[in-house]
Amino acid sequence: MIADSRDSATGGLRRTFGVFQLTMISVGATLGTGILVILGEAVPVAGPAVWIAFILAGATALLSALSYAEMAGMVPVSGSSYSYSYATLGEGAAWVCGWCLVLEYAVSVAAVAVGAADYVNETLRIFGLELPPSLTTGPGADGGVINLSALIVVVLATLLLMRGAWESGVVNTIIVFVKIGILIFFCLVAFTAFRAGNFTPLLPMGAAGVSAAASSVFFSYIGFDAASTAGEEAKNPKRDLPRAIIASMLIVTTMYVLVAIAAIGARQWEWFGLESTTAPLVQIVHEITRSDVAVLLFAVSAVLAILSVVITVLYGQSRILLTMARDGMVPRVFGRVSLRTGTPLVGTLIVGVLVAITAAFIPLGELANATSIGTLFAFCLVNVAVICLKVRRPDLPRSFRVPFGPVLPALGSLACAFLMINLGGVTWAVFGLWMLVGAVIYLTYSRRHSRVGGLTEADYRTSIEA
C-alpha cells in the first residue's frame, strides 16, 4: 500500500500537510455539524441532557479515535478505515468498510449541506428577504422542491477541491478559526441569559432518550477520520496523524458540550421542538442581543462553517475512493490524479455531483441517521483491526499505541454496537438495503477487477515478501 502511494506512475499525491493542517482538517470536518445543524433535532429527543448525549457520543468516538491513531501511524496512506481493514482483515472486510465509508462521507456531506438553508434564510431576513419554501427543502409535505442552498454549498466546495489540496486546506483553516470564534461568541451571549432551572428535569425522556440522541448525533464526530484520509498528503504521517486525530477530538468535544450547555441554559428544552425554531443558535443570539448586526455575522459565519465541513468531508470521500480504485474495488476513474493539481480531479467531480443531488432532494433527518449507522459500523471494524494486529503482529513498529492493550479497542467496538442498536428500524432497513447493494457490486464488479484477486498464490507471496 505504501509502495503504491509513492508510485509516480499511478499519480502520487503531493505531501503538503503538517500536524497543524491535519488537525484543522479534522476540526473542519467535525466542528459545526452537531451544533449548527442537528442540535435542534436532538434536544427534543434527549431534553436538557442533550449535553450528556454529546459526551456519550464523544466518548464512543474517542475510543475509536485511539484505534485510528494507532492504525494511521502503521498504515500512513489514503483510505482511512478501508485501508486499515484491507491491511488486517482482508479484501472482503475492507469492501464492507469502504462501502460503509461511502455512506458515511457522502451522506454526511449532504446532511450538513441541507442545514445551510436555515442559516441562509436567517441572513436574508436581516435584509427583509426570504427564500420560498420550494427552495429550502427537498420534495415533501411542506411544498419543497429543491434545497437550493445545499446545492450551492456542495458545488462551491467541489470547485475549490478541484483546484488543489493545499488551496482547500488554507481556506478550511481560515474558516475553522471563524467558526470557533462564532461558537465562543454564542456561549458568551447565551450565558448572559443562563437559567439553571432550564436543566430541570434533566431526563424528561429518560436514559433511553439520551441514548437515542447520542446515536443520532454521532455523525457529528466523523471528522477526526478525515485526517486519516490525508495519509499520503502528510509530510510526516506516522508522527503527525495520531497527534492530529487526538487533538481534534479534544477540541471538538469540548466545544460541543460547552455550546449545548449554553443553549439549554438560555432556552427551555421544549422551545427547540417548536416548528418556528429552525436555526436555534442564531435565533437565541437574536432574541438576547436584539442586534441585526450580530445575527448577520453569526448567520454568515454559520454558513461558512457548514461550507468548511462540506469541503473537508468531500475531500475525505474522494481520497477513500482513490484508494479503493487502486485496489480495483471501484472503477479506475476514481484513482486518476491530475498532474496539474495533484488531486483526483475526475473522482472529486463525480462525488460532488452525486452529493449535490442528494443534498438538494433528501431531508436532513434521514440523512443524519443513515450516516450514523455507517460511521459506527466502520469504527467497529477499525477497533477489531487494532485487536487483530495486537494479537497477530505485536512486533510491528507503532508510532502510537492504544493504552491498556486490546481493552480500549474492545470497549470501542461495544460502544459503537450499543449506539447502533439505539437507531430506529427505518435506519436499519436503509442500512440493510445499502449493504445488499454493496454485496451485489462486490460480487459482480469488485471481485472481477480486484488486484489481489487477479494474482496467483506465488505472485501474491512474492509481492508480500518484496
Side-chain angles (χ1 to χ4, degrees):
M1 283 179 162
I2 295 173
D4 280 347
S5 71
R6 294 171 179 169
D7 186 1
S8 59
T10 61
L13 300 173
R14 297 174 183 170
R15 295 192 178 274
T16 58
F17 297 142
V19 66
F20 175 75
Q21 290 89 348
L22 292 170
T23 303
M24 290 299 100
I25 288 175
S26 277
V27 175
T30 310
L31 189 60
T33 54
I35 292 298
L36 295 174
V37 176
I38 203 67
L39 179 65
E41 296 192 9
V43 173
V45 177
V50 67
W51 61 275
I52 300 178
F54 276 107
I55 291 178
L56 180 60
T60 302
L62 181 59
L63 289 173
S64 296
L66 294 173
S67 294
Y68 265 88
E70 180 168 321
M71 290 301 300
M74 298 172 66
V75 190
V77 298
S78 296
S80 187
S81 49
Y82 163 79
S83 295
Y84 309 154
S85 299
Y86 203 112
T88 55
L89 304 176
E91 180 185 275
W95 168 259
V96 172
C97 187
W99 192 239
C100 286
L101 289 175
V102 172
L103 179 67
E104 170 192 339
Y105 276 79
V107 178
S108 69
V109 170
V112 173
V114 164
D118 293 334
Y119 288 95
V120 169
N121 256 343
E122 290 297 328
T123 304
L124 293 175
R125 289 186 186 114
I126 300 299
F127 303 100
L129 304 173
E130 188 173 358
L131 289 174
S134 60
L135 299 180
T136 57
T137 185
D142 298 328
V145 176
I146 184 174
N147 191 324
L148 183 61
S149 302
L151 179 65
I152 293 173
V153 166
V154 176
V155 169
L156 289 176
T158 302
L159 293 175
L160 180 61
L161 285 169
M162 290 173 67
R163 286 187 58 85
W166 185 84
E167 292 85 347
S168 304
V170 171
V171 173
N172 173 68
T173 299
I174 294 172
I175 298 178
V176 166
F177 280 103
V178 170
K179 61 183 175 181
I180 289 177
I182 66 162
L183 291 178
I184 293 175
F185 169 73
F186 169 80
C187 292
L188 294 175
V189 171
F191 277 123
T192 63
F194 190 88
R195 295 181 181 178
N198 289 349
F199 290 88
T200 303
L202 182 63
L203 299 170
M205 306 297 181
V210 175
S211 299
S215 300
S216 179
V217 303
F218 187 80
F219 94 100
S220 308
Y221 288 91
I222 69 168
F224 73 81
D225 67 341
S228 67
T229 67
E232 292 178 33
E233 290 159 284
K235 296 177 182 177
N236 189 347
K238 291 188 176 182
R239 182 196 68 185
D240 294 343
L241 283 175
R243 294 180 181 182
I245 289 171
I246 302 301
S248 64
M249 278 301 304
L250 295 176
I251 293 171
V252 168
T253 303
T254 300
M255 292 303 305
Y256 277 173
V257 174
L258 187 61
V259 173
I261 291 174
I264 296 296
R267 290 292 177 270
Q268 293 183 330
W269 70 274
E270 295 92 346
W271 176 82
F272 290 85
L274 301 176
E275 291 186 5
S276 58
T277 306
T278 54
L281 298 193
V282 72
Q283 288 183 243
I284 290 174
V285 170
H286 183 256
E287 292 177 8
I288 294 176
T289 64
R290 298 296 177 183
S291 169
D292 288 343
V293 175
V295 172
L296 177 61
L297 290 174
F298 193 92
V300 171
S301 300
V303 174
L304 289 176
I306 291 172
L307 175 62
S308 170
V309 176
V310 173
I311 290 172
T312 48
V313 178
L314 268 181
Y315 165 86
Q317 176 70 94
S318 63
R319 270 53 178 182
I320 290 169
L321 289 173
L322 167 74
T323 307
M324 294 178 73
R326 286 176 179 162
D327 297 329
M329 298 290 100
V330 296
R332 295 193 180 279
V333 66
F334 290 101
R336 295 176 184 170
V337 176
S338 168
L339 295 178
R340 181 176 61 85
T341 65
T343 62
L345 202 61
V346 178
T348 300
L349 178 61
I350 294 173
V351 171
V353 170
L354 294 177
V355 170
I357 294 172
T358 303
F361 295 106
I362 299 181
L364 170 62
E366 294 304 320
L367 289 173
N369 288 336
T371 300
S372 291
I373 196 167
T375 305
L376 288 163
F377 195 86
F379 286 3
C380 269
L381 287 178
V382 174
N383 284 305
V384 171
V386 170
I387 295 173
C388 287
L389 276 188
K390 285 183 179 296
V391 173
R392 293 178 183 173
R393 297 296 305 275
D395 57 308
L396 286 176
R398 292 164 167 83
S399 58
F400 175 84
R401 292 179 180 270
V402 178
F404 307 110
V407 175
L408 289 187
L411 289 177
S413 293
L414 292 175
C416 289
F418 172 74
L419 292 186
M420 289 178 70
I421 291 172
N422 281 280
L423 291 169
V426 174
T427 303
W428 273 98
V430 171
F431 181 66
L433 180 61
W434 179 260
M435 297 309 296
L436 179 62
V437 172
V440 171
I441 294 174
Y442 178 70
L443 294 174
T444 59
Y445 178 87
S446 302
R447 282 295 296 161
R448 295 182 179 181
H449 295 81
S450 166
R451 286 181 61 192
V452 172
L455 296 175
T456 64
E457 181 70 17
D459 289 339
Y460 177 72
R461 294 299 172 190
T462 301
S463 68
I464 293 296
E465 292 171 1

